[in-house]
Amino acid sequence: MLRRILVSLGQFAITVLVATMIVFLLLRVMPGDPAVVALGINATPDALDAWRHEHGTDRPLWLQYLEWMGGLVTGDFGTSYVTSQELTPLIADRVQVTLILVGCAMLLALVIAVPIGTLAAVRHRDAAGAVLSGASQIGVAIPNFLVGVLLIAFFSVRLGWFPSGGWVAPAEDVGAFLQRLVLPVIALGSVQAAIITRYVRSAVLEIMREDFLRTGRAKGLTFGGALVRHGLRNAGVPVITIVGVQLAALLIGAVVIERVFAIPGLGSLLVDSVANRDLLAVQAVVVVLVLLVVLLNLIVDVVYALVDPRLRREAA
Amino acid sequence: MTAHRRIVRTVALAAASTLALAGCTAGSTSDDEAKTGVVVGLTGEPANLDFTTTAGSAIPQVLMNNVYEGLVKIDQEGRIQPLLATDWQVSDDRTTYVFELADGVTFSNGDEFTADDVAFSIDRVKNDWTLSLKAQMDVVDRVEVVSDTEVRVVLGRPSNSWLFAMGTSVGAMFSEGGVDALATDPVGTGPFTVEEFVQGDRIELAARDDYWGEAPGIESATVRYFADAVAQTNALRAGDIDMAWNMQAPDLVSQFEAEDFQVIDGTSTGEILLSMNNRVAPFDDVRVRQAVAYALDRQAILDAAWGGYGTLIGAMVPPTDPYYEDLTGEYPYDPERAKALLAEAGAEGVSVTFDVPTRPYANAVSEIVVDQLAAVGIDATIRSAEFPAVWLDRVFTKHDFEMSVILATEARDFATVFNDPDYYIGYDNTRIAPIIAAADQGTEEEFVDGMKEAVRIVTEDAAAVPLFLFPNLVVADAGLTGIAGNAVTESMDLTGLSWAD
């Protein structure tokens, strides 16, 4: 168990290191001089030079990279080229927003997917099951942003029930916060629900054929009782794996959904920063995303081991 | 069977609770009591609030006239009007301006506005601004403080553009004690202050109760930023914003016209310019450039690309400029003439690369332009250039392009574009440079005449093809009055807004 976690941590460190290098280099080969973008078409050559000097973009790449890494280790992402804002507090703000969005979306996805997936498995021989898995199949194929746009068209524009976008921090006004949360969470969560439903269904189908379920029933449990007492825990292992993977996918989906709903999260920051060649801000966002994804995998690994005693023994 | 039923019940419960969540939050949707504030939707967010060191019109769009004021103001017809200066006298040699300043003006930090602030602000442009816009202040030789309310500005030579520039962002008046945190905390003499700036979301303005002039009709204005025009109009229809300013999707406008919204087709100073690199073949040949001008049916382009909104112009001069002249008849749509010119230049069947920036207007016009050019035998291949980064780098800085299209937004930017051979278009300005220099120093009449002459020469040379004047489309709640729909400077003036009873 411990070794397993240590190995994961090692992989974690290497992944992050490699990711920082790739991100750093990719951004440097991208066309577009950040100084010109920051100062615009009216900038004088002197101003451009001064800007490059001030922001260090005229220095050797390896030096820029080392400086940046030095900052990262101490949790300092540097200062935005364009807004002159400290990036660390800014990123902290944005991460909160994105995590709330992703967390709620996953919660919604699970609330929908677990019962429906189970139902689809249990009723896999009749029409209800077919309808449910057909519906989830369609859900999987619809992109998040399309759901978002449709939701806005219907619930904000047509019915006027919800704002079409924007964000209010929960600490500021809980009602307004929830109001703005609903549509993006549904947009993100419903597609996830469809995906996870399919995994839940196949996981439950799998265990329905297992002996322990039959044994459970032989001992007098109802089918549902046996499923809940013995089955779901077993079905949980593959579902947890997929939840981990899908959380990563949700983070990426959030980048798009934040754009659709004008939500100031990591995604919006990423898109704006790329357009403005605000390289340090892009680097910061990407590193945070990488960290989150890798961290998720680490957590899934650990949870996985905790849920499935066989893995614990194996590793010991 | 009971098990199945239980699962069904769970599903139903989950669904019901989701709906309940939706329902209860929907119940608290905002009300429609007497409104005192206005929410404005814009696309294109400023990176910070300091337009003295950060380029682009996004910052002055929100701050000029609302938070900062100049000595003069450019009105909706493009004329110069008094603002902080109630009156001014110009000497006979037109190099000395004496401004009378309004009394009892204070900055939002409480500092009094005096002649010292005028001197400070003008000097600051020369010393601390990093944009080349600051060159507009080069003509100022010195500023003399006569008294608290009187200031004398001495120019090195007469200039007709200077006073106009004083009504734009370079003319903004700052307080010496208010320039420490321009990027986050602007201090001006305007009727509003910046209450909050939430990066990636909105800027909140609040009316000052100690404003020196007539108080605005609204107590607050929130400017919200959207990723694109669709999001902007959705918010308008959902009632999240009261006004969509500078809409970039004309095809969405007609729906609003049919509904209970007001649609304003305002003018702007932005010209959609089909630019050709005058330095390189085939566009170093004036006949090829003229051929392009004859080959394009600009009315068809305007109709197809921008829903007919906008104005046809024959040169890069909007009708609100004093030296505007209707030159739309100079290059009538004439594909045969275009073919003949191409043949004469030996450029039949020529192939060019067309760098199209990733902007809605550019995408909209490029396909039609390519079609029309193909009809006369110019084979243009579209190459997409991410805007701003790649376009600025490749086209604007490195001049590595043959043909491009861009929205030139600045007011009175004709000379910027054509009176500089090093500018990205690369027009040889030897014919117009002396004329423009003389015009700027001449009397107002000489200025207008000289500029007209320069414009005609550039048009004759077909240095670039202005496709149309970009409209400033505004869609707003029917109850909102006092909308300044013409974008004659970079400013979106909110000071006249109020709600009809």
Short mmCIF file of all heavy atoms in Angstrom, two decimals, chain A residues 31-32 37 39-42 47 82-83 85 94 111 115 119 122-123 152 156-157 161-166 178-179 182 224 259 275 277, chain B residues 3-4 7 11 14 22 25 28-29 47-48 53 55 130-132 199 224 227 234-235 237-238 240 386 388-390 392-393 396 410:
data_model
loop_
_atom_site.label_atom_id
_atom_site.label_comp_id
_atom_site.label_asym_id
_atom_site.label_seq_id
_atom_site.Cartn_x
_atom_site.Cartn_y
_atom_site.Cartn_z
N PRO A 31 3.92 31.54 -32.40
CA PRO A 31 4.18 32.87 -32.97
C PRO A 31 3.46 33.95 -32.18
O PRO A 31 2.43 33.70 -31.56
CB PRO A 31 3.61 32.76 -34.39
CG PRO A 31 2.61 31.66 -34.32
CD PRO A 31 3.10 30.71 -33.28
N GLY A 32 4.01 35.16 -32.20
CA GLY A 32 3.37 36.26 -31.47
C GLY A 32 4.27 36.72 -30.33
O GLY A 32 4.58 35.94 -29.43
N VAL A 37 1.85 42.27 -28.21
CA VAL A 37 0.44 42.09 -27.87
C VAL A 37 0.09 42.94 -26.64
O VAL A 37 -0.97 43.57 -26.59
CB VAL A 37 0.12 40.61 -27.61
CG1 VAL A 37 -1.34 40.46 -27.24
CG2 VAL A 37 0.45 39.78 -28.84
N LEU A 39 1.54 45.73 -25.54
CA LEU A 39 1.60 47.18 -25.75
C LEU A 39 0.81 47.63 -26.96
O LEU A 39 0.49 48.80 -27.11
CB LEU A 39 3.05 47.64 -25.86
CG LEU A 39 3.90 47.37 -24.61
CD1 LEU A 39 5.30 47.91 -24.80
CD2 LEU A 39 3.27 48.00 -23.38
N GLY A 40 0.52 46.69 -27.87
CA GLY A 40 -0.36 47.03 -28.98
C GLY A 40 0.33 47.72 -30.14
O GLY A 40 1.53 47.98 -30.13
N ILE A 41 -0.47 48.05 -31.16
CA ILE A 41 0.09 48.56 -32.39
C ILE A 41 0.67 49.96 -32.23
O ILE A 41 1.39 50.43 -33.09
CB ILE A 41 -0.95 48.57 -33.54
CG1 ILE A 41 -2.13 49.45 -33.18
CG2 ILE A 41 -1.43 47.17 -33.86
CD1 ILE A 41 -3.08 49.63 -34.34
N ASN A 42 0.34 50.61 -31.14
CA ASN A 42 0.84 51.97 -30.97
C ASN A 42 2.14 52.05 -30.19
O ASN A 42 2.63 53.14 -29.92
CB ASN A 42 -0.22 52.83 -30.28
CG ASN A 42 -1.41 53.06 -31.18
OD1 ASN A 42 -1.25 53.42 -32.33
ND2 ASN A 42 -2.59 52.81 -30.66
N ALA A 47 9.65 51.44 -26.12
CA ALA A 47 8.72 50.89 -25.13
C ALA A 47 8.73 49.37 -25.20
O ALA A 47 8.71 48.68 -24.17
CB ALA A 47 7.32 51.43 -25.36
N VAL A 82 0.15 41.10 -18.78
CA VAL A 82 -0.82 42.04 -19.32
C VAL A 82 -1.49 42.85 -18.21
O VAL A 82 -1.64 44.06 -18.30
CB VAL A 82 -1.88 41.30 -20.14
CG1 VAL A 82 -2.87 42.29 -20.73
CG2 VAL A 82 -1.22 40.51 -21.25
N THR A 83 -1.89 42.18 -17.16
CA THR A 83 -2.66 42.87 -16.13
C THR A 83 -1.80 43.33 -14.97
O THR A 83 -2.28 44.04 -14.10
CB THR A 83 -3.77 41.96 -15.57
OG1 THR A 83 -3.13 40.84 -14.95
CG2 THR A 83 -4.67 41.47 -16.65
N GLN A 85 -1.06 41.78 -12.54
CA GLN A 85 -1.59 41.24 -11.29
C GLN A 85 -0.71 40.09 -10.82
O GLN A 85 -0.14 39.37 -11.63
CB GLN A 85 -2.98 40.66 -11.55
CG GLN A 85 -4.12 41.54 -11.18
CD GLN A 85 -5.43 40.86 -11.49
OE1 GLN A 85 -5.66 40.39 -12.61
NE2 GLN A 85 -6.28 40.76 -10.51
N ARG A 94 -9.58 31.62 -9.26
CA ARG A 94 -10.14 30.94 -10.42
C ARG A 94 -10.30 29.44 -10.18
O ARG A 94 -11.25 28.83 -10.65
CB ARG A 94 -9.25 31.18 -11.65
CG ARG A 94 -9.11 32.65 -12.03
CD ARG A 94 -10.47 33.23 -12.34
NE ARG A 94 -10.41 34.59 -12.85
CZ ARG A 94 -10.44 34.91 -14.15
NH1 ARG A 94 -10.51 33.97 -15.05
NH2 ARG A 94 -10.40 36.16 -14.53
N VAL A 111 -25.49 11.42 -9.07
CA VAL A 111 -26.88 11.32 -8.59
C VAL A 111 -27.78 10.76 -9.70
O VAL A 111 -28.71 10.00 -9.45
CB VAL A 111 -27.38 12.69 -8.11
CG1 VAL A 111 -28.89 12.69 -7.94
CG2 VAL A 111 -26.70 13.06 -6.81
N PRO A 115 -28.28 5.56 -10.03
CA PRO A 115 -29.57 4.86 -10.10
C PRO A 115 -29.96 4.47 -11.53
O PRO A 115 -30.45 3.35 -11.74
CB PRO A 115 -30.56 5.88 -9.53
CG PRO A 115 -29.86 7.17 -9.49
CD PRO A 115 -28.41 6.90 -9.45
N LEU A 119 -30.47 0.74 -12.86
CA LEU A 119 -31.78 0.38 -13.42
C LEU A 119 -31.62 -0.20 -14.82
O LEU A 119 -32.23 -1.23 -15.17
CB LEU A 119 -32.66 1.62 -13.45
CG LEU A 119 -34.13 1.39 -13.83
CD1 LEU A 119 -34.79 0.49 -12.81
CD2 LEU A 119 -34.85 2.73 -13.90
N VAL A 122 -30.30 -3.72 -14.43
CA VAL A 122 -31.28 -4.66 -13.89
C VAL A 122 -32.35 -4.98 -14.92
O VAL A 122 -32.81 -6.12 -15.04
CB VAL A 122 -31.92 -4.05 -12.61
CG1 VAL A 122 -33.07 -4.92 -12.12
CG2 VAL A 122 -30.87 -3.90 -11.53
N ARG A 123 -32.74 -3.97 -15.70
CA ARG A 123 -33.80 -4.15 -16.69
C ARG A 123 -33.24 -4.34 -18.09
O ARG A 123 -33.88 -3.97 -19.06
CB ARG A 123 -34.72 -2.91 -16.68
CG ARG A 123 -35.26 -2.54 -15.32
CD ARG A 123 -36.55 -3.24 -14.99
NE ARG A 123 -37.60 -2.92 -15.93
CZ ARG A 123 -38.62 -2.12 -15.67
NH1 ARG A 123 -38.71 -1.52 -14.49
NH2 ARG A 123 -39.56 -1.92 -16.56
N ILE A 152 -29.23 27.68 -22.36
CA ILE A 152 -29.37 29.14 -22.32
C ILE A 152 -30.55 29.55 -23.19
O ILE A 152 -31.41 30.35 -22.76
CB ILE A 152 -28.09 29.83 -22.83
CG1 ILE A 152 -26.97 29.60 -21.85
CG2 ILE A 152 -28.33 31.33 -23.02
CD1 ILE A 152 -25.63 30.13 -22.31
N SER A 156 -32.89 30.49 -20.17
CA SER A 156 -32.65 31.91 -19.90
C SER A 156 -33.38 32.79 -20.88
O SER A 156 -34.06 33.73 -20.49
CB SER A 156 -31.17 32.28 -19.98
OG SER A 156 -30.35 31.25 -19.67
N VAL A 157 -33.23 32.48 -22.17
CA VAL A 157 -33.80 33.38 -23.16
C VAL A 157 -35.31 33.19 -23.27
O VAL A 157 -36.07 34.15 -23.19
CB VAL A 157 -33.11 33.17 -24.52
CG1 VAL A 157 -33.80 34.00 -25.59
CG2 VAL A 157 -31.64 33.52 -24.43
N TRP A 161 -35.87 31.87 -16.63
CA TRP A 161 -35.75 31.32 -15.28
C TRP A 161 -34.39 31.56 -14.66
O TRP A 161 -34.26 31.74 -13.46
CB TRP A 161 -36.03 29.81 -15.29
CG TRP A 161 -37.47 29.47 -15.48
CD1 TRP A 161 -38.49 30.35 -15.72
CD2 TRP A 161 -38.04 28.17 -15.47
NE1 TRP A 161 -39.66 29.67 -15.86
CE2 TRP A 161 -39.42 28.33 -15.71
CE3 TRP A 161 -37.52 26.89 -15.28
CZ2 TRP A 161 -40.28 27.24 -15.76
CZ3 TRP A 161 -38.38 25.81 -15.33
CH2 TRP A 161 -39.76 25.99 -15.57
N PHE A 162 -33.37 31.47 -15.51
CA PHE A 162 -32.00 31.59 -14.99
C PHE A 162 -31.23 32.63 -15.78
O PHE A 162 -31.50 32.84 -16.96
CB PHE A 162 -31.26 30.25 -15.13
CG PHE A 162 -31.89 29.15 -14.34
CD1 PHE A 162 -32.70 28.21 -14.97
CD2 PHE A 162 -31.66 29.03 -12.98
CE1 PHE A 162 -33.28 27.19 -14.25
CE2 PHE A 162 -32.24 28.01 -12.26
CZ PHE A 162 -33.05 27.08 -12.88
N PRO A 163 -30.23 33.27 -15.15
CA PRO A 163 -29.37 34.18 -15.91
C PRO A 163 -28.59 33.38 -16.98
O PRO A 163 -28.35 32.18 -16.79
CB PRO A 163 -28.42 34.74 -14.86
CG PRO A 163 -28.79 34.17 -13.57
CD PRO A 163 -29.87 33.17 -13.74
N SER A 164 -28.23 34.05 -18.04
CA SER A 164 -27.56 33.35 -19.13
C SER A 164 -26.08 33.14 -18.84
O SER A 164 -25.38 32.51 -19.61
CB SER A 164 -27.72 34.12 -20.42
OG SER A 164 -27.02 35.35 -20.31
N GLY A 165 -25.61 33.67 -17.76
CA GLY A 165 -24.20 33.46 -17.44
C GLY A 165 -23.77 34.38 -16.34
O GLY A 165 -24.59 35.03 -15.69
N GLY A 166 -22.46 34.43 -16.13
CA GLY A 166 -21.91 35.26 -15.08
C GLY A 166 -21.70 34.45 -13.82
O GLY A 166 -22.02 33.26 -13.78
N LEU A 178 -26.32 30.26 -6.53
CA LEU A 178 -26.99 29.03 -6.95
C LEU A 178 -27.68 29.21 -8.31
O LEU A 178 -27.62 28.35 -9.17
CB LEU A 178 -28.02 28.61 -5.90
CG LEU A 178 -27.43 28.03 -4.63
CD1 LEU A 178 -28.52 27.76 -3.60
CD2 LEU A 178 -26.65 26.75 -4.93
N GLN A 179 -28.29 30.37 -8.45
CA GLN A 179 -29.00 30.66 -9.68
C GLN A 179 -28.09 30.56 -10.90
O GLN A 179 -28.47 30.05 -11.93
CB GLN A 179 -29.51 32.09 -9.58
CG GLN A 179 -30.88 32.25 -10.10
CD GLN A 179 -31.34 33.68 -9.89
OE1 GLN A 179 -30.56 34.57 -9.55
NE2 GLN A 179 -32.60 33.90 -10.11
N VAL A 182 -26.76 26.66 -11.67
CA VAL A 182 -27.62 25.57 -12.15
C VAL A 182 -27.35 25.18 -13.60
O VAL A 182 -27.05 24.03 -13.90
CB VAL A 182 -29.11 25.94 -11.96
CG1 VAL A 182 -30.00 24.89 -12.60
CG2 VAL A 182 -29.42 26.03 -10.48
N GLY A 224 -32.84 -6.92 -5.01
CA GLY A 224 -32.34 -5.57 -4.77
C GLY A 224 -31.48 -5.53 -3.51
O GLY A 224 -30.43 -4.90 -3.49
N ARG A 259 -16.58 29.44 -20.83
CA ARG A 259 -16.63 30.39 -21.94
C ARG A 259 -18.09 30.66 -22.32
O ARG A 259 -18.49 31.80 -22.51
CB ARG A 259 -15.86 29.77 -23.11
CG ARG A 259 -15.37 30.75 -24.11
CD ARG A 259 -14.21 31.53 -23.57
NE ARG A 259 -13.81 32.54 -24.54
CZ ARG A 259 -13.14 33.63 -24.21
NH1 ARG A 259 -12.82 33.87 -22.98
NH2 ARG A 259 -12.80 34.48 -25.15
N ALA A 275 -4.80 34.26 -25.92
CA ALA A 275 -5.03 35.29 -26.92
C ALA A 275 -4.11 36.48 -26.70
O ALA A 275 -3.61 37.08 -27.64
CB ALA A 275 -6.49 35.75 -26.89
N ARG A 277 -1.20 36.34 -25.28
CA ARG A 277 0.19 35.88 -25.12
C ARG A 277 0.72 36.23 -23.73
O ARG A 277 1.86 36.65 -23.58
CB ARG A 277 1.10 36.49 -26.19
CG ARG A 277 0.80 35.99 -27.59
CD ARG A 277 1.09 34.49 -27.71
NE ARG A 277 0.88 34.03 -29.08
CZ ARG A 277 -0.27 33.53 -29.53
NH1 ARG A 277 -1.32 33.45 -28.72
NH2 ARG A 277 -0.38 33.11 -30.78
N ALA B 3 -37.88 -4.81 -5.54
CA ALA B 3 -36.56 -4.19 -5.67
C ALA B 3 -36.56 -3.21 -6.83
O ALA B 3 -36.08 -2.08 -6.70
CB ALA B 3 -35.50 -5.25 -5.90
N HIS B 4 -37.13 -3.68 -7.90
CA HIS B 4 -37.18 -2.81 -9.08
C HIS B 4 -37.90 -1.52 -8.77
O HIS B 4 -37.49 -0.44 -9.13
CB HIS B 4 -37.89 -3.51 -10.24
CG HIS B 4 -37.03 -4.60 -10.82
ND1 HIS B 4 -37.35 -5.26 -11.98
CD2 HIS B 4 -35.88 -5.14 -10.39
CE1 HIS B 4 -36.42 -6.16 -12.23
NE2 HIS B 4 -35.52 -6.11 -11.26
N ILE B 7 -35.87 0.89 -6.88
CA ILE B 7 -34.88 1.60 -7.69
C ILE B 7 -35.55 2.70 -8.50
O ILE B 7 -35.08 3.83 -8.58
CB ILE B 7 -34.14 0.61 -8.62
CG1 ILE B 7 -33.30 -0.33 -7.76
CG2 ILE B 7 -33.26 1.34 -9.60
CD1 ILE B 7 -32.81 -1.55 -8.47
N VAL B 11 -34.77 6.75 -8.48
CA VAL B 11 -34.54 7.57 -9.68
C VAL B 11 -35.49 8.76 -9.69
O VAL B 11 -35.10 9.90 -9.91
CB VAL B 11 -34.72 6.73 -10.96
CG1 VAL B 11 -34.60 7.62 -12.19
CG2 VAL B 11 -33.70 5.62 -11.00
N ALA B 14 -34.50 11.37 -7.22
CA ALA B 14 -33.34 12.15 -7.67
C ALA B 14 -33.79 13.20 -8.68
O ALA B 14 -33.40 14.37 -8.60
CB ALA B 14 -32.31 11.23 -8.30
N ALA B 22 -33.91 23.39 -9.11
CA ALA B 22 -34.10 24.32 -10.21
C ALA B 22 -35.23 25.29 -9.88
O ALA B 22 -35.12 26.49 -10.07
CB ALA B 22 -34.42 23.56 -11.49
N THR B 25 -34.48 28.01 -7.02
CA THR B 25 -33.59 29.10 -7.41
C THR B 25 -34.27 29.98 -8.45
O THR B 25 -34.06 31.18 -8.48
CB THR B 25 -32.26 28.58 -8.00
OG1 THR B 25 -32.57 27.60 -8.98
CG2 THR B 25 -31.40 27.99 -6.93
N SER B 28 -36.26 32.95 -7.21
CA SER B 28 -35.64 34.17 -6.71
C SER B 28 -35.10 35.06 -7.83
O SER B 28 -34.31 35.94 -7.59
CB SER B 28 -34.50 33.81 -5.75
OG SER B 28 -33.56 33.01 -6.40
N THR B 29 -35.53 34.77 -9.07
CA THR B 29 -35.08 35.61 -10.18
C THR B 29 -35.41 37.07 -9.93
O THR B 29 -36.45 37.38 -9.37
CB THR B 29 -35.75 35.16 -11.50
OG1 THR B 29 -35.59 33.76 -11.61
CG2 THR B 29 -35.10 35.82 -12.68
N ALA B 47 -7.51 44.46 -20.16
CA ALA B 47 -6.64 43.66 -19.30
C ALA B 47 -6.47 44.34 -17.95
O ALA B 47 -6.35 43.70 -16.92
CB ALA B 47 -5.28 43.47 -19.96
N ASN B 48 -6.45 45.67 -17.96
CA ASN B 48 -6.39 46.43 -16.71
C ASN B 48 -7.03 47.78 -16.99
O ASN B 48 -7.68 47.93 -18.03
CB ASN B 48 -4.94 46.56 -16.22
CG ASN B 48 -4.08 47.31 -17.21
OD1 ASN B 48 -4.35 48.45 -17.57
ND2 ASN B 48 -3.02 46.66 -17.69
N THR B 53 -0.49 53.06 -20.45
CA THR B 53 0.57 52.11 -20.79
C THR B 53 0.05 50.84 -21.45
O THR B 53 0.83 50.00 -21.86
CB THR B 53 1.37 51.69 -19.52
OG1 THR B 53 0.44 51.18 -18.58
CG2 THR B 53 2.11 52.85 -18.92
N ALA B 55 -2.35 49.14 -24.45
CA ALA B 55 -2.96 49.52 -25.72
C ALA B 55 -4.39 49.02 -25.85
O ALA B 55 -4.86 48.22 -25.06
CB ALA B 55 -2.12 48.96 -26.86
N THR B 130 3.56 55.09 -22.66
CA THR B 130 4.45 54.26 -23.46
C THR B 130 3.86 53.94 -24.84
O THR B 130 4.49 53.26 -25.62
CB THR B 130 4.74 52.93 -22.74
OG1 THR B 130 3.50 52.27 -22.50
CG2 THR B 130 5.46 53.16 -21.44
N LEU B 131 2.68 54.42 -25.12
CA LEU B 131 2.09 54.12 -26.42
C LEU B 131 2.47 55.21 -27.42
O LEU B 131 2.71 56.35 -27.03
CB LEU B 131 0.57 54.09 -26.31
CG LEU B 131 0.01 53.30 -25.15
CD1 LEU B 131 -1.48 53.45 -25.09
CD2 LEU B 131 0.39 51.84 -25.31
N SER B 132 2.48 54.87 -28.70
CA SER B 132 2.86 55.90 -29.65
C SER B 132 1.75 56.93 -29.83
O SER B 132 1.95 57.97 -30.43
CB SER B 132 3.26 55.29 -30.99
OG SER B 132 2.15 54.77 -31.66
N GLN B 199 -11.81 40.97 -12.85
CA GLN B 199 -11.18 40.48 -14.07
C GLN B 199 -11.93 39.26 -14.61
O GLN B 199 -12.27 38.37 -13.87
CB GLN B 199 -9.74 40.08 -13.74
CG GLN B 199 -8.88 39.91 -14.95
CD GLN B 199 -8.16 41.20 -15.30
OE1 GLN B 199 -7.50 41.79 -14.46
NE2 GLN B 199 -8.28 41.64 -16.53
N ARG B 224 -20.55 44.43 -18.32
CA ARG B 224 -20.21 43.00 -18.28
C ARG B 224 -19.62 42.57 -19.61
O ARG B 224 -20.02 43.04 -20.67
CB ARG B 224 -21.46 42.17 -17.99
CG ARG B 224 -21.83 42.16 -16.52
CD ARG B 224 -22.87 41.10 -16.23
NE ARG B 224 -22.48 39.82 -16.77
CZ ARG B 224 -23.32 38.82 -17.00
NH1 ARG B 224 -24.59 38.96 -16.74
NH2 ARG B 224 -22.89 37.68 -17.48
N ALA B 227 -17.85 36.55 -24.14
CA ALA B 227 -16.88 35.95 -25.05
C ALA B 227 -17.21 36.29 -26.50
O ALA B 227 -16.33 36.47 -27.31
CB ALA B 227 -16.83 34.44 -24.85
N ASN B 234 -27.74 36.76 -26.00
CA ASN B 234 -28.48 35.88 -25.10
C ASN B 234 -28.75 36.57 -23.77
O ASN B 234 -29.85 36.50 -23.22
CB ASN B 234 -27.70 34.58 -24.84
CG ASN B 234 -27.88 33.59 -25.97
OD1 ASN B 234 -28.87 33.63 -26.70
ND2 ASN B 234 -26.92 32.71 -26.12
N ALA B 235 -27.71 37.23 -23.27
CA ALA B 235 -27.85 37.92 -21.99
C ALA B 235 -28.88 39.04 -22.09
O ALA B 235 -29.63 39.29 -21.15
CB ALA B 235 -26.49 38.48 -21.55
N ARG B 237 -31.49 39.10 -24.13
CA ARG B 237 -32.84 38.51 -24.19
C ARG B 237 -33.24 37.92 -22.85
O ARG B 237 -34.42 37.89 -22.50
CB ARG B 237 -32.86 37.39 -25.21
CG ARG B 237 -32.32 37.83 -26.52
CD ARG B 237 -32.64 36.82 -27.49
NE ARG B 237 -33.40 37.44 -28.55
CZ ARG B 237 -33.90 36.76 -29.54
NH1 ARG B 237 -33.76 35.45 -29.55
NH2 ARG B 237 -34.53 37.36 -30.48
N ALA B 238 -32.27 37.44 -22.09
CA ALA B 238 -32.58 36.87 -20.79
C ALA B 238 -32.81 37.97 -19.75
O ALA B 238 -33.15 37.69 -18.61
CB ALA B 238 -31.45 35.95 -20.34
N ASP B 240 -30.48 39.87 -18.54
CA ASP B 240 -29.31 40.03 -17.67
C ASP B 240 -28.60 41.35 -17.93
O ASP B 240 -27.92 41.88 -17.07
CB ASP B 240 -28.30 38.90 -17.89
CG ASP B 240 -28.90 37.55 -17.60
OD1 ASP B 240 -29.92 37.51 -16.89
OD2 ASP B 240 -28.36 36.54 -18.07
N GLU B 386 -4.28 34.20 -36.15
CA GLU B 386 -4.86 34.42 -34.83
C GLU B 386 -4.68 35.89 -34.43
O GLU B 386 -3.60 36.46 -34.55
CB GLU B 386 -4.16 33.51 -33.81
CG GLU B 386 -4.79 33.56 -32.43
CD GLU B 386 -3.84 33.07 -31.35
OE1 GLU B 386 -2.82 32.43 -31.67
OE2 GLU B 386 -4.12 33.35 -30.18
N PRO B 388 -5.05 38.84 -31.43
CA PRO B 388 -4.09 39.76 -32.02
C PRO B 388 -2.70 39.18 -32.26
O PRO B 388 -1.97 39.70 -33.10
CB PRO B 388 -3.99 40.85 -30.95
CG PRO B 388 -4.26 40.16 -29.67
CD PRO B 388 -5.24 39.07 -29.98
N ALA B 389 -2.31 38.15 -31.50
CA ALA B 389 -0.89 37.78 -31.44
C ALA B 389 -0.26 37.53 -32.81
O ALA B 389 0.74 38.16 -33.17
CB ALA B 389 -0.72 36.56 -30.54
N VAL B 390 -0.83 36.62 -33.58
CA VAL B 390 -0.17 36.23 -34.82
C VAL B 390 -0.29 37.34 -35.87
O VAL B 390 0.66 37.64 -36.59
CB VAL B 390 -0.76 34.90 -35.36
CG1 VAL B 390 -0.16 34.56 -36.71
CG2 VAL B 390 -0.49 33.79 -34.36
N LEU B 392 -0.54 40.58 -35.42
CA LEU B 392 0.38 41.66 -35.07
C LEU B 392 1.80 41.27 -35.43
O LEU B 392 2.57 42.08 -35.95
CB LEU B 392 0.31 41.96 -33.57
CG LEU B 392 -0.83 42.84 -33.09
CD1 LEU B 392 -0.77 43.02 -31.59
CD2 LEU B 392 -0.78 44.19 -33.79
N ASP B 393 2.14 40.03 -35.16
CA ASP B 393 3.50 39.58 -35.38
C ASP B 393 3.81 39.50 -36.87
O ASP B 393 4.77 40.10 -37.36
CB ASP B 393 3.67 38.20 -34.73
CG ASP B 393 5.12 37.76 -34.73
OD1 ASP B 393 5.96 38.53 -34.26
OD2 ASP B 393 5.39 36.64 -35.22
N PHE B 396 1.56 42.93 -39.07
CA PHE B 396 1.80 44.30 -38.64
C PHE B 396 3.28 44.59 -38.38
O PHE B 396 3.79 45.62 -38.78
CB PHE B 396 0.98 44.59 -37.38
CG PHE B 396 0.97 46.05 -37.01
CD1 PHE B 396 0.10 46.91 -37.65
CD2 PHE B 396 1.83 46.55 -36.05
CE1 PHE B 396 0.10 48.26 -37.34
CE2 PHE B 396 1.82 47.89 -35.73
CZ PHE B 396 0.96 48.75 -36.39
N GLU B 410 -9.19 53.62 -34.77
CA GLU B 410 -8.88 54.91 -34.18
C GLU B 410 -9.51 56.07 -34.93
O GLU B 410 -9.63 56.04 -36.15
CB GLU B 410 -7.37 55.11 -34.17
CG GLU B 410 -6.76 54.80 -32.84
CD GLU B 410 -5.26 54.82 -32.95
OE1 GLU B 410 -4.73 55.79 -33.50
OE2 GLU B 410 -4.64 53.85 -32.51
#
